[in-house]
Amino acid sequence: MRKVWLLMRKEWAEVFRNRLVLFTVAFLPLMLTALPLVVLSATRSTGDMSLMSASDMPSGFSEMCGGLTGAECAQYFFVSQFMLLFLIMPLVIPATIASYSIVGEKTTRTLEPLLATPITTLELLAGKGLAAAIPAVGATWGAFLIFAIGAAAMAISPAVLGRLTDPLWLLAIFIVGPLLAVMAVSIAVMISSRVNDPRVAEQLAGLVIMPVMLVFFGQITGLLFINARLIVWIAVGLVVVDAGLLAFATQLFQRESILTRWK
Amino acid sequence: MIRIDRLSKQFESNLAVDQLSLEVKVGEVFGFLGPNGAGKTTTLRMLCALIDPSAGRAWVAGHELGREDDQIRRQVGILTESPGLYDRLSAEYNLAFFAQLYEVESVAEQVERYLRLLGLWERRAEAVGTFSKGMRQKLAIARAMLHEPRVLFLDEPTSGLDPEAAHLVREFIGELKEEGRTIFLCTHNLDEADRLCDRIAIFNTRLLALDTPAALRRELYGRSVVFHLRQNAADFVEIVRALPVVHKVEPVDNKLVLQVEDPEANNPALVRALVGAGADIRFVGELRRSLEDVYLRLVGSAHQD
């Protein structure tokens, strides 16, 4: 465990000196937190929205507005469209850090001396994986906290605030978020282990946000709505997927192929 | 200290190392020479437990490869072909990180010791990315030494360094030798190998030769004596060829190059014969073949095979 911690500290000391990584970790959460807050602020005035009723909302969503006035339901609807952005953070941030930290070791030729030390493959992957996942989860949770504070100030009513911070979203942020981060890290490790060109690894790892983007667009176009049942199913599915991906990524990360594949 | 028994490595269709067998003694500086792509780095990586052999066995510092890889990694230090340092981190951080991975007891003291020893202490807080190539190489050597390994694998330690930096590195290797460490040195620099190594192996996928540099010279070229004459050397070829101790005669302008059996014992007779035949001898010396001659002849023969 000590070596895992050592590696994590080294990763953070190094990757956060990289502007691209720093930008991703710092700017992305700020931007993705600002969007729902802007929507909250824009829908704060109850003027026109006071005339709305839950039946004005898409049919799948209006069922989730039980107990809310039309204006409250409208604000909840508009803001919830952007809540999924909080699930992009745990995908993009670790994918960027993990790609950089594994591919970066190879491009700077530091991987060989590192692998020559008495560190096990599991310690190496755990150190690099946690170093990538923890900032992502921390940034996601921090961003949601900022959002929750903003929502407390800008929600039309405590009922809307209650909906925006109900167990559905807490489950999404505090359980699904870390599970997505683990998935992103595993995929980044797998890609880094297999491709010949480090640049390709970085670009391919960026594709991990595709599933969340599909859900995001599905919700915006009214094809699906995020509800508690869907989130629970996503969480259960991610547990299974993550277990498989972690095992597969560990198996794929062969010291020999990593050292000899890339020239 | 290192025992290799028919070690082979196959990468798909490419046979990189073919049944290599050799031994490296404790405290020896062992040169491992060969052309690019000969399999030197692959051999070194196998011996450092970085990649698995396809066949054969090896023991490093008393531990068997493939069975006690963790012990091997603790006992060996490796200087890779490229220094491989974290450019954004300081020299001190780079060393401290590796010292902790190697579970060195007094990290700060050991880091300071090697930074001072290699003249980098004053710049310990600077990012390694600002260092010159020579400084980076010295730092990489320090990293390889932090855990006081019994065996040190050095892959092209002076490659790309300016003469002054290369000299410093060679001096340091000399000091390590005096400390009794076993050093396995992969190099293209034949002069360096000649000066530093107790024994050398010439290798091109398979072992071509293994001995001390002097013995290899003798084995391939015998011992040659050069007589510098005032006259044309060709006039005296028949005189010396008649002597049974002379195996080969080669006249070059006014120099007579003779391959002679036991020159210390037979040179007086040769001098007498030449003087008796009217030669004016200006100077007598031994022709010292370079390790490059030996290397090119062996590697060239291997290519022809």
Side-chain angles (χ1 to χ4, degrees):
Chain A
M1 197 59 204
R2 194 170 156 267
K3 284 179 187 163
V4 173
W5 172 235
L6 261 176
L7 194 59
M8 284 165 61
R9 274 176 42 209
K10 191 280 291 175
E11 292 297 314
W12 290 335
E14 206 196 9
V15 297
F16 291 128
R17 285 185 169 91
N18 179 296
R19 283 182 191 171
L20 172 71
V21 176
L22 201 59
F23 176 82
T24 309
V25 177
F27 185 74
L28 188 75
L30 287 177
M31 198 181 72
L32 296 182
T33 310
L35 269 172
L37 285 175
V38 167
V39 176
L40 255 177
S41 174
T43 54
R44 194 177 175 192
S45 161
T46 54
D48 295 339
M49 297 215 324
S50 62
L51 302 173
M52 297 180 84
S53 72
S55 59
D56 293 325
M57 298 296 115
S59 58
F61 191 83
S62 57
E63 295 162 13
M64 297 163 67
C65 283
L68 297 182
T69 64
E72 287 167 344
C73 181
Q75 190 180 41
Y76 177 42
F77 172 73
F78 287 123
V79 177
S80 66
Q81 300 298 305
F82 293 90
M83 296 280 281
L84 262 185
L85 295 178
F86 285 107
L87 298 183
I88 287 179
M89 285 180 239
L91 285 171
V92 174
I93 296 171
T96 308
I97 297 177
S99 301
Y100 177 82
S101 75
I102 294 168
V103 178
E105 292 272 8
K106 184 66 198 179
T107 51
T108 54
R109 305 205 174 222
T110 48
L111 194 59
E112 192 168 358
L114 183 61
L115 292 177
T117 66
I119 189 169
T120 64
T121 302
L122 204 61
E123 286 170 330
L124 181 71
L125 287 178
K128 289 202 169 277
L130 288 171
I134 288 173
V137 171
T140 305
W141 290 356
F144 187 76
L145 183 69
I146 293 169
F147 167 76
I149 293 167
M154 291 184 278
I156 293 174
S157 67
V160 174
L161 177 64
R163 291 299 171 94
L164 292 174
T165 54
D166 72 2
L168 159 73
W169 289 112
L170 296 182
L171 182 72
I173 302 299
F174 291 98
I175 303 294
V176 174
L179 289 170
L180 285 172
V182 172
M183 184 180 87
V185 168
S186 306
I187 291 174
V189 168
M190 283 193 299
I191 292 169
S192 303
S193 305
R194 299 311 293 172
V195 300
N196 291 330
D197 187 343
R199 286 165 298 185
V200 175
E202 287 175 37
Q203 285 164 3
L204 286 178
L207 295 177
V208 295
I209 64 163
M210 286 304 287
V212 170
M213 289 310 288
L214 287 175
V215 174
F216 178 68
F217 287 118
Q219 188 182 242
I220 278 186
T221 54
L223 288 173
L224 59 90
F225 293 100
I226 298 294
N227 56 35
R229 183 179 292 176
L230 181 62
I231 288 288
V232 169
W233 276 116
I234 289 174
V236 170
L238 279 173
V239 169
V240 176
V241 168
D242 282 356
L245 285 176
L246 273 175
F248 194 45
T250 311
Q251 206 174 16
L252 274 183
F253 190 87
Q254 296 294 324
R255 288 167 180 248
E256 180 166 328
S257 62
I258 292 274
L259 278 178
T260 54
R261 187 177 277 263
W262 290 343
K263 299 292 178 191
Chain B
M1 184 56 79
I2 300 172
R3 188 154 70 87
I4 304 172
D5 181 21
R6 288 171 290 169
L7 202 66
S8 298
K9 182 66 190 177
Q10 180 104 28
F11 292 111
E12 294 169 357
S13 61
N14 174 33
L15 182 63
V17 178
D18 184 15
Q19 303 224 2
L20 174 66
S21 294
L22 56 84
E23 278 190 40
V24 180
K25 297 168 198 157
V26 175
E28 189 173 31
V29 178
F30 188 87
F32 199 57
L33 316 180
N36 288 331
K40 301 189 299 294
T41 301
T42 299
T43 304
L44 187 142
R45 283 174 170 172
M46 283 194 283
L47 295 176
C48 290
L50 282 165
I51 59 174
D52 296 326
S54 306
R57 298 169 79 185
W59 292 260
V60 181
H63 301 287
E64 186 173 359
L65 203 60
R67 292 189 178 184
E68 299 164 292
D69 286 355
D70 190 60
Q71 287 304 313
I72 290 175
R73 291 190 192 113
R74 288 173 198 278
Q75 300 281 347
V76 306
I78 180 172
L79 173 72
T80 48
E81 201 172 346
S82 166
L85 299 159
Y86 298 110
D87 283 353
R88 291 189 171 88
L89 305 178
S90 70
E92 194 171 21
Y93 195 115
N94 265 276
L95 292 193
F97 171 63
F98 278 92
Q100 289 172 91
L101 283 181
Y102 278 113
E103 297 166 21
V104 170
E105 278 182 17
S106 44
V107 171
E109 283 171 31
Q110 195 71 342
V111 167
E112 181 176 346
R113 180 179 168 222
Y114 277 102
L115 283 173
R116 286 192 187 280
L117 199 64
L118 288 157
L120 297 169
W121 177 247
E122 301 303 322
R123 299 190 62 178
R124 64 189 179 279
E126 291 177 34
V128 171
T130 63
F131 282 17
S132 69
K133 204 166 181 178
M135 289 165 72
R136 294 166 66 82
Q137 192 74 339
K138 284 199 280 185
L139 193 63
I141 292 174
R143 180 185 58 199
M145 296 298 306
L146 284 167
H147 55 301
E148 304 293 350
R150 292 163 67 194
V151 187
L152 202 56
F153 290 91
L154 306 176
D155 196 359
E156 305 288 350
T158 57
S159 169
L161 298 185
D162 63 45
E164 195 185 353
H167 177 72
L168 280 173
V169 169
R170 276 195 288 271
E171 272 194 340
F172 188 65
I173 295 171
E175 286 167 23
L176 295 175
K177 182 185 175 181
E178 282 172 20
E179 287 176 13
R181 293 184 205 269
T182 307
I183 298 170
F184 191 95
L185 175 70
C186 288
T187 182
H188 280 130
N189 190 326
L190 300 171
D191 180 52
E192 180 175 282
D194 205 3
R195 276 193 275 173
L196 290 172
C197 298
D198 299 307
R199 288 191 306 148
I200 57 167
I202 297 179
F203 178 78
N204 193 3
T205 307
R206 60 193 171 82
L207 188 63
L208 303 177
L210 168 63
D211 216 323
T212 64
L216 285 175
R217 282 191 198 93
R218 263 202 312 276
E219 198 178 307
L220 284 181
Y221 292 101
R223 290 185 71 185
S224 298
V225 180
V226 190
F227 289 84
H228 295 251
L229 309 178
R230 203 176 288 279
Q231 299 94 333
N232 188 339
D235 298 343
F236 302 93
V237 169
E238 294 310 318
I239 303 291
V240 289
R241 191 167 275 160
L243 299 169
V245 293
V246 176
H247 298 306
K248 196 175 165 192
V249 182
E250 191 183 349
V252 184
D253 299 329
N254 59 344
K255 290 192 283 286
L256 203 53
V257 183
L258 310 178
Q259 205 178 89
V260 181
E261 205 177 287
D262 195 359
E264 284 81 2
N266 294 315
N267 273 354
L270 280 167
V271 171
R272 277 197 298 275
L274 285 166
V275 171
D280 289 334
I281 301 172
R282 296 162 66 196
F283 182 77
V284 182
E286 183 167 4
L287 178 67
R288 187 179 157 84
R289 294 284 182 174
S290 69
L291 191 57
E292 188 176 59
D293 294 329
V294 173
Y295 174 89
L296 291 175
R297 189 157 153 185
L298 284 167
V299 173
S301 309
H303 280 311
Q304 282 168 10
D305 292 348

